[in-house]
C-alpha cells in the first residue's frame, strides 16, 4: 500500500472510531436520531478504510451512497432534528424517528440515482450544508450566551473549517490531489469531519446541561 493510501485509511479509521464512540454516547442520552446517524457515518468510515486497502468498486459504491445520505439528509435534516432536543426541547417519538430515516433512505436513492438531479446535485449538497451551518451558528451563539466559551469556540472553528471543505467539495480540486500525501482532499476532509462531529457532541452536552428539562408547554399547562 502506498503511503498516501495508508494515511487516508488511518484518517478513515479515525472518523469511524469518533462516530461510533460519540454515536454510542448519544444513544446513552436516548437521542436515537443522532446516535444512529453517527453510527451510519462510522460504518461509512470503516467501509472507506476498507476501500483504501482493497480499492473495491463495491466499497466505493457503498461509500458514495452513505456519503450522499449523510450530506443530503443525515446531517442537515436528521442532525438538526436530533440537536433540537436541547435547543428547542423537541424530541420526536420513535415512530417519527423511523419515518425520518425511511424517507431519508428513499430520498437519497432518488436524488443520487435519478438522472434528472445529476447536474443539480452538487448545488443541493451545498444548499443543505449551508442550512445546517446556519443552525450550528445559532447553536454556537447559544453556547456563548451561556458562558460555554471553550466549546463554543471549538464549534465555531469546526463550522468555518467544514464550510470551507463543503464549499470546495464538488467545485475545487487541490493541485496535486492524487499524489499529495497529507495535503489531499480525503485526508483533510476525514480529519475535519472527525473534529466537527466530536465537537458537536460536546456542544450538545454543554447545552443539555444548561437546558430546562421540562417542555415549556408543560410548564404553561401546569400554571
Amino acid at each position: 500500500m502506498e503511503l498516501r493510501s495508508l494515511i487516508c485509511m488511518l484518517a478513515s479509521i479515525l472518523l469511524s472510531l469518533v462516530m461510533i464512540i460519540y454515536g454510542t454516547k448519544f444513544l446513552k442520552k436516548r437521542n436515537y436520531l443522532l446516535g444512529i446517524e453517527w453510527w451510519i457515518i462510522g460504518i461509512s468510515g470503516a467501509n472507506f478504510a476498507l476501500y483504501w486497502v482493497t480499492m473495491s468498486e463495491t466499497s466505493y459504491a457503498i461509500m458514495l451512497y452513505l456519503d450522499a445520505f449523510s450530506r443530503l439528509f443525515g446531517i442537515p435534516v436528521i442532525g438538526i432534528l436530533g440537536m433540537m432536543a436541547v435547543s428547542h426541547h423537541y424530541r420526536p417519538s420513535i415512530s417519527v424517528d423511523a419515518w425520518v430515516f425511511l424517507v431519508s433512505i428513499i430520498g437519497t436513492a432518488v436524488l443520487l440515482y435519478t438522472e434528472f438531479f445529476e447536474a443539480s446535485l452538487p448545488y443541493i449538497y451545498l444548499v443543505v450544508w449551508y442550512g445546517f451551518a446556519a443552525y450550528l451558528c445559532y447553536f454556537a451563539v447559544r453556547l456563548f450566551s451561556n458562558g460555554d466559551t471553550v466549546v463554543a469556540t471549538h464549534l465555531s472553528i469546526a463550522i468555518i473549517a467544514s464550510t470551507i471543505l463543503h464549499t470546495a467539495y464538488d467545485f475545487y480540486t487541490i493541485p496535486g490531489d492524487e499524489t499529495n500525501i497529507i495535503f489531499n482532499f480525503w485526508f483533510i476532509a476525514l480529519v475535519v469531519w472527525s473534529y466537527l462531529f466530536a465537537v458537536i457532541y460536546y456542544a450538545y452536552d454543554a447545552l443539555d446541561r444548561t437546558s430546562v428539562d421540562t417542555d415549556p408547554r408543560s410548564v404553561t399547562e401546569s400554571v
Side-chain angles (χ1 to χ4, degrees), residues 44-192:
S44 178
N47 172 74
F48 203 29
L50 179 64
Y51 167 77
W52 290 109
V53 177
T54 64
M55 292 295 167
S56 165
E57 292 184 5
T58 301
S59 291
Y60 190 74
I62 293 172
M63 184 276 292
L64 283 179
Y65 178 83
L66 293 178
D67 178 65
F69 174 87
S70 292
R71 291 177 68 190
L72 290 168
F73 297 97
I75 298 306
V77 178
I78 295 173
I80 289 177
L81 285 175
M83 294 176 72
M84 284 177 67
V86 293
S87 67
H88 293 79
H89 302 284
Y90 172 70
R91 287 184 178 271
S93 65
I94 293 178
S95 62
V96 171
D97 289 353
W99 275 107
V100 168
F101 276 104
L102 179 60
V103 171
S104 298
I105 290 169
I106 297 172
T108 300
V110 171
L111 290 171
L112 185 61
Y113 301 125
T114 302
E115 188 176 349
F116 177 79
F117 294 103
E118 184 176 353
S120 59
L121 194 56
Y123 301 96
I124 296 173
Y125 285 139
L126 202 58
V127 168
V128 295
W129 168 260
Y130 275 97
F132 181 64
Y135 175 77
L136 288 182
C137 288
Y138 161 78
F139 215 86
V141 170
R142 288 281 301 273
L143 291 169
F144 275 118
S145 66
N146 289 341
D148 294 306
T149 55
V150 174
V151 68
T153 300
H154 277 287
L155 183 59
S156 300
I157 294 170
I159 292 168
I160 293 169
S162 301
T163 299
I164 293 171
L165 176 71
H166 282 266
T167 302
Y169 198 127
D170 295 296
F171 303 97
Y172 176 76
T173 301
I174 297 173
D177 184 68
E178 294 183 356
T179 56
N180 293 341
I181 294 175
I182 297 296
F183 194 60
N184 67 77
F185 176 81
W186 284 119
F187 176 76
I188 295 171
L190 292 163
V191 171
V192 169

